[in-house]
């Protein structure tokens, strides 16, 4: 009985399937293990296929402890492991919903007749309801889509969208995809749109989103006069946190060695309507 109790205690501390040689890229001090920050949201394209450990990805997320996380290029197996590490190593407990667009063994592993699921995922410390998952009519060179849930941010119910648009050289496909996404966002007075849009801020195909919402980066606007910070290793702004009917308080971009995209996060205030970006 004593041996069994010790084993269980070890599993609680270490977590499931933690490699014996696992080393965190940036270990967190003990005081960093804390509850999620209720008004913080994050978007991150975690890069797939990439030879990166999920224990490192979890460490990156835990350093910010956001209330809501939108992941793109996410395999279900990877998200499950990230979620377990966040809980067992950092005490951060998240619900999860998926927006799968591909069953792809090459990307996500699995058996030939049961390949891994690939697409978007949303993690939220609060429960999520009313999940919607839509694949775009034409994803371009690869299936793409968006997902949406209702959850809590800063103490209020908010509709949260997460998307990944067509690849960089496929502007026409992205324009059609933005039309589909914008029509869904427009139904909500208060919304957050997370994702990898594969387009810089002045790209014409993003016009439909800019008409409805603003980026949480106060310097980033849909014109060449803006000063958008890079969110990728190739010095382009592709990753956005758009808000509608919500006031952005703080915006931060953190480069990561574990993806070709940076982590983008924002602190928000939902208690009153933002002065701009809503219709």
């Amino acid at each position: 009985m004593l041996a069994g109790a010790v084993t269980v205690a070890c599993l609680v501390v270490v977590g499931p399937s933690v490699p014996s040689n696992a080393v965190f890229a940036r270990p967190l001090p003990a005081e960093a293990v804390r509850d999620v920050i209720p008004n913080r949201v994050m978007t991150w394209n975690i890069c797939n296929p990439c030879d990166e450990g999920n224990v490192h990805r979890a460490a990156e997320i835990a350093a910010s402890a956001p209330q809501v996380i939108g992941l793109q290029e996410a395999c279900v197996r990877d998200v499950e492991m990230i979620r377990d590490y966040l809980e067992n190593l950092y005490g951060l407990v998240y619900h999860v919903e998926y927006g799968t667009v591909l069953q792809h063994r090459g990307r996500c592993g699995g058996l030939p007749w049961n390949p891994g699921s690939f697409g978007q995922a949303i993690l939220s410390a609060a429960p999520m309801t009313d999940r919607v998952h839509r694949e775009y009519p034409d994803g371009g060179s690869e299936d793409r889509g968006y997902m949406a849930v209702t959850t809590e941010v800063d103490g209020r119910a908010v509709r949260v969208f997460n998307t990944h648009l067509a690849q960089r050289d496929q502007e026409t496909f992205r324009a059609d995809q933005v039309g589909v996404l914008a029509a869904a966002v427009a139904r909500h007075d208060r919304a957050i749109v997370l994702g990898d849009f594969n387009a810089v801020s002045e790209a014409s195909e993003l016009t439909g989103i800019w008409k409805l919402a603003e980026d949480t980066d106060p310097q980033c606007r849909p014109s060449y006069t803006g000063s958008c910070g890079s969110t990728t290793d190739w010095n382009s702004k592709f990753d956005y946190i758009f808000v509608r009917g919500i006031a952005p308080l703080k915006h931060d971009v953190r480069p990561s060695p574990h993806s070709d995209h940076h982590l983008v996060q924002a602190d928000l205030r939902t208690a009153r309507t933002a002065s701009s970006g809503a219709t």
Side-chain angles (χ1 to χ4, degrees):
M1 290 177 64
L2 179 59
V6 171
T7 300
V8 170
C10 289
L11 285 173
V12 170
V13 173
V14 176
S17 305
V18 178
S20 60
N21 63 346
V23 178
F24 288 92
R26 291 184 294 184
L28 300 181
E31 62 269 20
V33 179
R34 59 196 185 281
D35 290 337
V36 297
I37 298 174
N39 69 330
R40 180 168 294 172
V41 299
M42 172 186 287
T43 184
W44 191 20
N45 182 321
I46 59 175
C47 187
N48 185 285
C50 291
D51 187 19
E52 295 294 340
N54 291 311
V55 70
H56 298 288
R57 291 165 168 161
E60 294 275 16
I61 293 170
S64 298
Q67 169 81 8
V68 173
I69 307 154
L71 300 177
Q72 303 88 41
E73 295 194 16
C75 295
V76 168
R77 290 183 180 89
D78 289 331
V79 175
E80 289 173 343
M81 293 183 68
I82 291 169
R83 184 186 178 203
D84 285 343
Y85 287 133
L86 286 167
E87 179 173 358
N88 293 313
L89 295 176
Y90 301 105
L92 301 174
V93 180
Y94 289 96
H95 305 267
V96 63
E97 293 286 354
Y98 297 98
T100 295
V101 295
L102 286 174
Q103 301 294 325
H104 201 293
R105 184 167 178 255
R107 279 187 178 272
C108 297
L111 299 172
W113 56 88
N114 186 28
S117 299
F118 173 82
Q120 288 76 247
I122 294 177
L123 287 78
S124 174
M128 292 176 277
T129 60
D130 303 320
R131 183 188 75 98
V132 169
H133 168 226
R134 295 284 186 270
E135 288 193 36
Y136 294 123
D138 197 332
S141 56
E142 181 179 83
D143 292 349
R144 296 290 163 93
Y146 78 85
M147 62 180 299
V149 300
T150 297
T151 189
E152 188 176 286
V153 176
D154 192 28
R156 297 189 69 181
V158 177
R159 193 65 172 166
V160 179
F161 294 80
N162 183 21
T163 191
H164 188 191
L165 300 188
Q167 294 178 0
R168 278 179 275 178
D169 57 350
Q170 299 176 351
E171 295 89 348
T172 301
F173 294 103
R174 286 198 301 275
D176 291 341
Q177 293 164 6
V178 167
V180 173
L181 176 63
V185 173
R187 301 187 188 107
H188 302 274
D189 294 330
R190 190 166 57 247
I192 301 167
V193 187
L194 310 170
D196 174 4
F197 285 74
N198 269 319
V200 295
S201 64
E202 64 268 18
S204 61
E205 63 266 28
L206 297 189
T207 300
I209 287 293
W210 283 115
K211 288 180 177 178
L212 296 171
E214 63 179 322
D215 186 25
T216 55
D217 181 352
Q219 303 301 317
C220 189
R221 293 296 177 260
S223 69
Y224 290 98
T225 59
S227 179
C228 301
S230 170
T231 67
T232 65
D233 287 353
W234 51 92
N235 298 317
S236 293
K237 161 82 169 181
F238 278 5
D239 305 271
Y240 297 83
I241 299 176
F242 287 110
V243 290
R244 173 176 167 85
I246 295 171
L249 299 176
K250 181 181 178 182
H251 177 89
D252 187 45
V253 177
R254 195 171 78 242
S256 168
H258 306 297
S259 175
D260 54 358
H261 287 252
H262 306 339
L263 291 87
V264 181
Q265 68 183 44
D267 294 350
L268 308 174
R269 181 171 61 241
T270 65
R272 65 179 180 84
T273 302
S275 60
S276 61
T279 58

